[in-house]
């Protein structure tokens, strides 16, 4: 179970650039930042992002994402 939080302070412009890059990568902002911080797991984050954005049941992708965070 994840019980810790990580917060980063950025300017609004930086957050906008990160959000755009995340959308282009098919990821949410948190998954994108984690993929950049943990490049060894980047493909896993991309797959989860695609699963969450795609049609169908998202429960398994959400469970995997929460486990990986």
């Amino acid at each position: 179970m994840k019980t810790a939080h990580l917060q980063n302070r950025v300017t609004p412009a930086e957050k906008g650039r990160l959000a755009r890059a995340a959308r282009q990568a098919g990821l949410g902002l948190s998954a994108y930042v984690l993929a950049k911080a943990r490049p060894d797991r980047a493909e896993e984050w991309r797959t989860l992002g695609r699963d969450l954005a795609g049609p169908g049941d998202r429960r398994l992708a959400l469970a995997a994402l929460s486990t990986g965070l």
Side-chain angles (χ1 to χ4, degrees):
M1 177 191 305
K2 306 300 178 194
T3 59
H5 295 272
L6 177 64
Q7 295 181 348
N8 294 294
R9 292 176 161 261
V10 295
T11 67
E14 289 170 325
K15 185 176 180 182
R17 284 192 296 273
L18 286 168
R20 280 189 296 282
R23 274 194 306 277
Q24 290 174 345
L27 297 172
L29 186 54
S30 292
Y32 179 78
V33 171
L34 284 170
K36 290 298 183 180
R38 299 274 320 267
D40 57 312
R41 297 184 70 191
E43 184 56 37
E44 180 182 349
W45 298 121
R46 277 192 286 279
T47 300
L48 288 172
R50 283 192 296 269
D51 290 349
L52 289 171
D57 191 351
R58 294 176 179 91
R59 289 180 289 181
L60 291 176
L62 286 170
L65 183 60
S66 68
T67 300
L69 298 176

